[in-house]
Amino acid sequence: MNTTALTDPQREQLRALLEQRKAELLAELGEVQRDTLAVARTAGSAEAEPPGSPRDQANSMASSMVRDAEAARDHAELVAVRAALARLADGSYGECTDCGQGVGVARLLAQPAAARCIACQSKAEARGQH
Ligand SMILES: [Zn+2]
């Protein structure tokens, strides 16, 4: 046992934070999917009409790329949140996935899905991983 092991109340608090974040992300991703479907329907029904100006098309393409980037980020976070919940279930939550040391309660409260301690996270980012 290391000295930074979580207490049961801390574990429950972090589980609640993760479940809440998961629900938020699922809601956001649901919104994005609905948005995308709405845009696709509009684009299909507009075929018989005169095409929009190139500027309009560029704007709508740019906003679609922003939405895709946001969805990709939400999805990556959702994967991390689900992995954290899985670690909670198997008892490895709170231990750095790289070195096995405690990630630290303060860091987990700020970032409940954090899988690595700060030292390993810095190294991973230096390697180009996140
Ligand atoms: Zn570590």
Side-chain angles (χ1 to χ4, degrees):
M1 288 296 281
N2 63 56
T3 53
T4 54
L6 299 169
T7 63
D8 284 347
Q10 284 168 339
R11 198 176 291 268
E12 283 314 304
Q13 183 185 359
L14 288 160
R15 186 197 305 274
L17 286 170
L18 285 164
E19 292 286 359
Q20 185 191 346
R21 190 66 190 132
K22 185 171 84 169
E24 284 170 8
L25 288 166
L26 286 171
E28 280 174 29
L29 286 166
E31 292 289 334
V32 168
Q33 275 157 17
R34 272 199 297 281
D35 281 359
T36 306
L37 289 174
V39 167
R41 272 201 304 274
T42 307
S45 68
E47 263 176 358
E49 296 170 14
S53 71
R55 182 189 294 272
D56 282 350
Q57 286 176 0
N59 278 348
S60 104
M61 198 177 292
S63 74
S64 150
M65 282 168 68
V66 167
R67 200 167 49 227
D68 285 353
E70 283 172 358
R73 202 164 48 224
D74 281 352
H75 189 259
E77 190 181 350
L78 182 60
V79 169
V81 166
R82 281 185 165 144
L85 285 165
R87 290 196 301 278
L88 264 170
D90 74 16
S92 65
Y93 182 76
E95 293 169 11
C96 173
T97 54
D98 281 9
C99 71
Q101 296 295 308
V103 171
V105 173
R107 173 162 163 75
L108 289 171
L109 286 172
Q111 219 180 321
R116 298 185 180 98
C117 68
I118 288 171
C120 290
Q121 184 64 42
S122 304
K123 281 186 233 163
E125 282 172 13
R127 289 196 306 263
Q129 299 172 0
H130 292 280

PDB file of all heavy atoms in Angstrom, residues 47-73:
ATOM      1  N   GLU A  47     -30.738  20.387 -52.550  1.00  0.00           N
ATOM      2  CA  GLU A  47     -30.104  20.056 -53.840  1.00  0.00           C
ATOM      3  C   GLU A  47     -30.782  20.747 -55.015  1.00  0.00           C
ATOM      4  O   GLU A  47     -30.126  21.189 -55.937  1.00  0.00           O
ATOM      5  CB  GLU A  47     -30.159  18.541 -54.047  1.00  0.00           C
ATOM      6  CG  GLU A  47     -28.871  17.867 -53.624  1.00  0.00           C
ATOM      7  CD  GLU A  47     -28.970  16.363 -53.745  1.00  0.00           C
ATOM      8  OE1 GLU A  47     -30.050  15.844 -54.120  1.00  0.00           O
ATOM      9  OE2 GLU A  47     -27.963  15.724 -53.478  1.00  0.00           O
ATOM     10  N   ALA A  48     -32.108  20.854 -54.987  1.00  0.00           N
ATOM     11  CA  ALA A  48     -32.829  21.422 -56.112  1.00  0.00           C
ATOM     12  C   ALA A  48     -32.738  22.949 -56.133  1.00  0.00           C
ATOM     13  O   ALA A  48     -33.048  23.574 -57.130  1.00  0.00           O
ATOM     14  CB  ALA A  48     -34.305  21.007 -56.053  1.00  0.00           C
ATOM     15  N   GLU A  49     -32.307  23.532 -54.995  1.00  0.00           N
ATOM     16  CA  GLU A  49     -32.211  24.992 -54.940  1.00  0.00           C
ATOM     17  C   GLU A  49     -30.862  25.456 -55.464  1.00  0.00           C
ATOM     18  O   GLU A  49     -29.927  24.668 -55.554  1.00  0.00           O
ATOM     19  CB  GLU A  49     -32.392  25.452 -53.483  1.00  0.00           C
ATOM     20  CG  GLU A  49     -33.781  25.118 -52.945  1.00  0.00           C
ATOM     21  CD  GLU A  49     -33.868  25.350 -51.441  1.00  0.00           C
ATOM     22  OE1 GLU A  49     -32.966  26.007 -50.889  1.00  0.00           O
ATOM     23  OE2 GLU A  49     -34.813  24.839 -50.836  1.00  0.00           O
ATOM     24  N   PRO A  50     -30.767  26.751 -55.799  1.00  0.00           N
ATOM     25  CA  PRO A  50     -29.463  27.262 -56.250  1.00  0.00           C
ATOM     26  C   PRO A  50     -28.427  27.089 -55.149  1.00  0.00           C
ATOM     27  O   PRO A  50     -28.751  27.259 -53.967  1.00  0.00           O
ATOM     28  CB  PRO A  50     -29.731  28.757 -56.487  1.00  0.00           C
ATOM     29  CG  PRO A  50     -31.214  28.910 -56.533  1.00  0.00           C
ATOM     30  CD  PRO A  50     -31.790  27.773 -55.761  1.00  0.00           C
ATOM     31  N   PRO A  51     -27.207  26.718 -55.505  1.00  0.00           N
ATOM     32  CA  PRO A  51     -26.181  26.524 -54.470  1.00  0.00           C
ATOM     33  C   PRO A  51     -25.862  27.832 -53.756  1.00  0.00           C
ATOM     34  O   PRO A  51     -25.976  28.898 -54.349  1.00  0.00           O
ATOM     35  CB  PRO A  51     -24.967  26.009 -55.251  1.00  0.00           C
ATOM     36  CG  PRO A  51     -25.201  26.416 -56.663  1.00  0.00           C
ATOM     37  CD  PRO A  51     -26.691  26.504 -56.854  1.00  0.00           C
ATOM     38  N   GLY A  52     -25.468  27.720 -52.477  1.00  0.00           N
ATOM     39  CA  GLY A  52     -25.094  28.894 -51.708  1.00  0.00           C
ATOM     40  C   GLY A  52     -23.802  29.492 -52.257  1.00  0.00           C
ATOM     41  O   GLY A  52     -23.118  28.888 -53.078  1.00  0.00           O
ATOM     42  N   SER A  53     -23.487  30.684 -51.829  1.00  0.00           N
ATOM     43  CA  SER A  53     -22.249  31.322 -52.268  1.00  0.00           C
ATOM     44  C   SER A  53     -21.072  30.530 -51.725  1.00  0.00           C
ATOM     45  O   SER A  53     -21.200  29.827 -50.725  1.00  0.00           O
ATOM     46  CB  SER A  53     -22.197  32.751 -51.759  1.00  0.00           C
ATOM     47  OG  SER A  53     -21.984  32.747 -50.363  1.00  0.00           O
ATOM     48  N   PRO A  54     -19.920  30.605 -52.386  1.00  0.00           N
ATOM     49  CA  PRO A  54     -18.730  29.882 -51.866  1.00  0.00           C
ATOM     50  C   PRO A  54     -18.424  30.273 -50.430  1.00  0.00           C
ATOM     51  O   PRO A  54     -17.986  29.441 -49.640  1.00  0.00           O
ATOM     52  CB  PRO A  54     -17.610  30.348 -52.806  1.00  0.00           C
ATOM     53  CG  PRO A  54     -18.313  30.773 -54.050  1.00  0.00           C
ATOM     54  CD  PRO A  54     -19.660  31.293 -53.617  1.00  0.00           C
ATOM     55  N   ARG A  55     -18.680  31.543 -50.070  1.00  0.00           N
ATOM     56  CA  ARG A  55     -18.402  31.963 -48.705  1.00  0.00           C
ATOM     57  C   ARG A  55     -19.286  31.194 -47.720  1.00  0.00           C
ATOM     58  O   ARG A  55     -18.808  30.722 -46.694  1.00  0.00           O
ATOM     59  CB  ARG A  55     -18.646  33.468 -48.573  1.00  0.00           C
ATOM     60  CG  ARG A  55     -18.319  34.004 -47.175  1.00  0.00           C
ATOM     61  CD  ARG A  55     -18.793  35.444 -47.041  1.00  0.00           C
ATOM     62  NE  ARG A  55     -18.050  36.354 -47.919  1.00  0.00           N
ATOM     63  CZ  ARG A  55     -16.910  36.941 -47.540  1.00  0.00           C
ATOM     64  NH1 ARG A  55     -16.423  36.735 -46.360  1.00  0.00           N
ATOM     65  NH2 ARG A  55     -16.281  37.750 -48.369  1.00  0.00           N
ATOM     66  N   ASP A  56     -20.566  31.030 -48.035  1.00  0.00           N
ATOM     67  CA  ASP A  56     -21.459  30.274 -47.156  1.00  0.00           C
ATOM     68  C   ASP A  56     -20.965  28.839 -46.995  1.00  0.00           C
ATOM     69  O   ASP A  56     -20.958  28.292 -45.907  1.00  0.00           O
ATOM     70  CB  ASP A  56     -22.879  30.239 -47.741  1.00  0.00           C
ATOM     71  CG  ASP A  56     -23.610  31.548 -47.500  1.00  0.00           C
ATOM     72  OD1 ASP A  56     -23.071  32.370 -46.727  1.00  0.00           O
ATOM     73  OD2 ASP A  56     -24.681  31.735 -48.084  1.00  0.00           O
ATOM     74  N   GLN A  57     -20.560  28.255 -48.100  1.00  0.00           N
ATOM     75  CA  GLN A  57     -20.111  26.861 -48.033  1.00  0.00           C
ATOM     76  C   GLN A  57     -18.858  26.742 -47.186  1.00  0.00           C
ATOM     77  O   GLN A  57     -18.727  25.812 -46.400  1.00  0.00           O
ATOM     78  CB  GLN A  57     -19.848  26.329 -49.445  1.00  0.00           C
ATOM     79  CG  GLN A  57     -21.150  26.066 -50.189  1.00  0.00           C
ATOM     80  CD  GLN A  57     -20.920  25.637 -51.621  1.00  0.00           C
ATOM     81  OE1 GLN A  57     -19.783  25.538 -52.057  1.00  0.00           O
ATOM     82  NE2 GLN A  57     -21.990  25.407 -52.345  1.00  0.00           N
ATOM     83  N   ALA A  58     -17.924  27.710 -47.324  1.00  0.00           N
ATOM     84  CA  ALA A  58     -16.699  27.674 -46.531  1.00  0.00           C
ATOM     85  C   ALA A  58     -17.042  27.809 -45.055  1.00  0.00           C
ATOM     86  O   ALA A  58     -16.494  27.105 -44.210  1.00  0.00           O
ATOM     87  CB  ALA A  58     -15.757  28.792 -46.957  1.00  0.00           C
ATOM     88  N   ASN A  59     -17.971  28.705 -44.732  1.00  0.00           N
ATOM     89  CA  ASN A  59     -18.351  28.885 -43.333  1.00  0.00           C
ATOM     90  C   ASN A  59     -18.938  27.602 -42.765  1.00  0.00           C
ATOM     91  O   ASN A  59     -18.605  27.204 -41.662  1.00  0.00           O
ATOM     92  CB  ASN A  59     -19.392  30.006 -43.207  1.00  0.00           C
ATOM     93  CG  ASN A  59     -18.727  31.374 -43.206  1.00  0.00           C
ATOM     94  OD1 ASN A  59     -17.511  31.474 -43.070  1.00  0.00           O
ATOM     95  ND2 ASN A  59     -19.522  32.408 -43.369  1.00  0.00           N
ATOM     96  N   SER A  60     -19.812  26.971 -43.531  1.00  0.00           N
ATOM     97  CA  SER A  60     -20.467  25.794 -42.979  1.00  0.00           C
ATOM     98  C   SER A  60     -19.462  24.647 -42.862  1.00  0.00           C
ATOM     99  O   SER A  60     -19.515  23.852 -41.938  1.00  0.00           O
ATOM    100  CB  SER A  60     -21.674  25.416 -43.833  1.00  0.00           C
ATOM    101  OG  SER A  60     -21.396  24.297 -44.626  1.00  0.00           O
ATOM    102  N   MET A  61     -18.480  24.597 -43.780  1.00  0.00           N
ATOM    103  CA  MET A  61     -17.457  23.566 -43.678  1.00  0.00           C
ATOM    104  C   MET A  61     -16.591  23.821 -42.439  1.00  0.00           C
ATOM    105  O   MET A  61     -16.267  22.891 -41.706  1.00  0.00           O
ATOM    106  CB  MET A  61     -16.589  23.560 -44.943  1.00  0.00           C
ATOM    107  CG  MET A  61     -15.800  22.281 -45.125  1.00  0.00           C
ATOM    108  SD  MET A  61     -14.885  22.299 -46.671  1.00  0.00           S
ATOM    109  CE  MET A  61     -16.219  22.239 -47.856  1.00  0.00           C
ATOM    110  N   ALA A  62     -16.245  25.092 -42.194  1.00  0.00           N
ATOM    111  CA  ALA A  62     -15.400  25.416 -41.044  1.00  0.00           C
ATOM    112  C   ALA A  62     -16.130  25.063 -39.755  1.00  0.00           C
ATOM    113  O   ALA A  62     -15.539  24.477 -38.842  1.00  0.00           O
ATOM    114  CB  ALA A  62     -15.027  26.886 -41.063  1.00  0.00           C
ATOM    115  N   SER A  63     -17.426  25.395 -39.677  1.00  0.00           N
ATOM    116  CA  SER A  63     -18.128  25.109 -38.423  1.00  0.00           C
ATOM    117  C   SER A  63     -18.280  23.609 -38.246  1.00  0.00           C
ATOM    118  O   SER A  63     -18.254  23.103 -37.133  1.00  0.00           O
ATOM    119  CB  SER A  63     -19.481  25.815 -38.391  1.00  0.00           C
ATOM    120  OG  SER A  63     -20.391  25.163 -39.239  1.00  0.00           O
ATOM    121  N   SER A  64     -18.403  22.879 -39.348  1.00  0.00           N
ATOM    122  CA  SER A  64     -18.493  21.427 -39.240  1.00  0.00           C
ATOM    123  C   SER A  64     -17.167  20.848 -38.757  1.00  0.00           C
ATOM    124  O   SER A  64     -17.145  19.899 -37.974  1.00  0.00           O
ATOM    125  CB  SER A  64     -18.881  20.855 -40.601  1.00  0.00           C
ATOM    126  OG  SER A  64     -18.352  19.571 -40.763  1.00  0.00           O
ATOM    127  N   MET A  65     -16.035  21.439 -39.198  1.00  0.00           N
ATOM    128  CA  MET A  65     -14.742  20.940 -38.728  1.00  0.00           C
ATOM    129  C   MET A  65     -14.563  21.224 -37.240  1.00  0.00           C
ATOM    130  O   MET A  65     -14.027  20.399 -36.518  1.00  0.00           O
ATOM    131  CB  MET A  65     -13.609  21.584 -39.543  1.00  0.00           C
ATOM    132  CG  MET A  65     -13.458  20.947 -40.915  1.00  0.00           C
ATOM    133  SD  MET A  65     -12.387  21.912 -41.995  1.00  0.00           S
ATOM    134  CE  MET A  65     -10.808  21.693 -41.179  1.00  0.00           C
ATOM    135  N   VAL A  66     -15.011  22.407 -36.794  1.00  0.00           N
ATOM    136  CA  VAL A  66     -14.928  22.732 -35.369  1.00  0.00           C
ATOM    137  C   VAL A  66     -15.744  21.718 -34.586  1.00  0.00           C
ATOM    138  O   VAL A  66     -15.301  21.196 -33.568  1.00  0.00           O
ATOM    139  CB  VAL A  66     -15.429  24.161 -35.101  1.00  0.00           C
ATOM    140  CG1 VAL A  66     -15.651  24.394 -33.612  1.00  0.00           C
ATOM    141  CG2 VAL A  66     -14.450  25.173 -35.669  1.00  0.00           C
ATOM    142  N   ARG A  67     -16.959  21.408 -35.088  1.00  0.00           N
ATOM    143  CA  ARG A  67     -17.826  20.471 -34.376  1.00  0.00           C
ATOM    144  C   ARG A  67     -17.185  19.091 -34.338  1.00  0.00           C
ATOM    145  O   ARG A  67     -17.211  18.408 -33.326  1.00  0.00           O
ATOM    146  CB  ARG A  67     -19.184  20.421 -35.080  1.00  0.00           C
ATOM    147  CG  ARG A  67     -20.296  19.884 -34.210  1.00  0.00           C
ATOM    148  CD  ARG A  67     -21.634  20.172 -34.871  1.00  0.00           C
ATOM    149  NE  ARG A  67     -21.615  19.762 -36.254  1.00  0.00           N
ATOM    150  CZ  ARG A  67     -22.056  20.506 -37.264  1.00  0.00           C
ATOM    151  NH1 ARG A  67     -22.552  21.689 -37.051  1.00  0.00           N
ATOM    152  NH2 ARG A  67     -22.010  20.068 -38.498  1.00  0.00           N
ATOM    153  N   ASP A  68     -16.570  18.683 -35.449  1.00  0.00           N
ATOM    154  CA  ASP A  68     -15.903  17.382 -35.480  1.00  0.00           C
ATOM    155  C   ASP A  68     -14.760  17.344 -34.474  1.00  0.00           C
ATOM    156  O   ASP A  68     -14.566  16.344 -33.796  1.00  0.00           O
ATOM    157  CB  ASP A  68     -15.361  17.099 -36.885  1.00  0.00           C
ATOM    158  CG  ASP A  68     -16.473  16.732 -37.850  1.00  0.00           C
ATOM    159  OD1 ASP A  68     -17.623  16.563 -37.384  1.00  0.00           O
ATOM    160  OD2 ASP A  68     -16.197  16.630 -39.048  1.00  0.00           O
ATOM    161  N   ALA A  69     -13.997  18.444 -34.398  1.00  0.00           N
ATOM    162  CA  ALA A  69     -12.869  18.476 -33.462  1.00  0.00           C
ATOM    163  C   ALA A  69     -13.380  18.385 -32.028  1.00  0.00           C
ATOM    164  O   ALA A  69     -12.803  17.688 -31.195  1.00  0.00           O
ATOM    165  CB  ALA A  69     -12.058  19.753 -33.665  1.00  0.00           C
ATOM    166  N   GLU A  70     -14.475  19.101 -31.751  1.00  0.00           N
ATOM    167  CA  GLU A  70     -15.044  19.045 -30.401  1.00  0.00           C
ATOM    168  C   GLU A  70     -15.560  17.643 -30.093  1.00  0.00           C
ATOM    169  O   GLU A  70     -15.367  17.132 -28.992  1.00  0.00           O
ATOM    170  CB  GLU A  70     -16.191  20.060 -30.260  1.00  0.00           C
ATOM    171  CG  GLU A  70     -15.676  21.480 -30.100  1.00  0.00           C
ATOM    172  CD  GLU A  70     -16.795  22.511 -30.165  1.00  0.00           C
ATOM    173  OE1 GLU A  70     -17.963  22.116 -30.378  1.00  0.00           O
ATOM    174  OE2 GLU A  70     -16.484  23.702 -30.021  1.00  0.00           O
ATOM    175  N   ALA A  71     -16.196  17.035 -31.067  1.00  0.00           N
ATOM    176  CA  ALA A  71     -16.722  15.689 -30.860  1.00  0.00           C
ATOM    177  C   ALA A  71     -15.581  14.709 -30.627  1.00  0.00           C
ATOM    178  O   ALA A  71     -15.676  13.826 -29.776  1.00  0.00           O
ATOM    179  CB  ALA A  71     -17.565  15.261 -32.061  1.00  0.00           C
ATOM    180  N   ALA A  72     -14.478  14.885 -31.366  1.00  0.00           N
ATOM    181  CA  ALA A  72     -13.333  13.983 -31.197  1.00  0.00           C
ATOM    182  C   ALA A  72     -12.745  14.145 -29.803  1.00  0.00           C
ATOM    183  O   ALA A  72     -12.362  13.168 -29.156  1.00  0.00           O
ATOM    184  CB  ALA A  72     -12.268  14.275 -32.261  1.00  0.00           C
ATOM    185  N   ARG A  73     -12.702  15.396 -29.319  1.00  0.00           N
ATOM    186  CA  ARG A  73     -12.150  15.652 -27.991  1.00  0.00           C
ATOM    187  C   ARG A  73     -13.076  15.067 -26.925  1.00  0.00           C
ATOM    188  O   ARG A  73     -12.619  14.440 -25.975  1.00  0.00           O
ATOM    189  CB  ARG A  73     -11.980  17.161 -27.796  1.00  0.00           C
ATOM    190  CG  ARG A  73     -10.967  17.546 -26.746  1.00  0.00           C
ATOM    191  CD  ARG A  73     -10.580  19.002 -26.872  1.00  0.00           C
ATOM    192  NE  ARG A  73     -11.747  19.856 -26.990  1.00  0.00           N
ATOM    193  CZ  ARG A  73     -11.874  20.855 -27.851  1.00  0.00           C
ATOM    194  NH1 ARG A  73     -10.895  21.124 -28.682  1.00  0.00           N
ATOM    195  NH2 ARG A  73     -12.956  21.587 -27.879  1.00  0.00           N
TER     196      ARG A  73
END
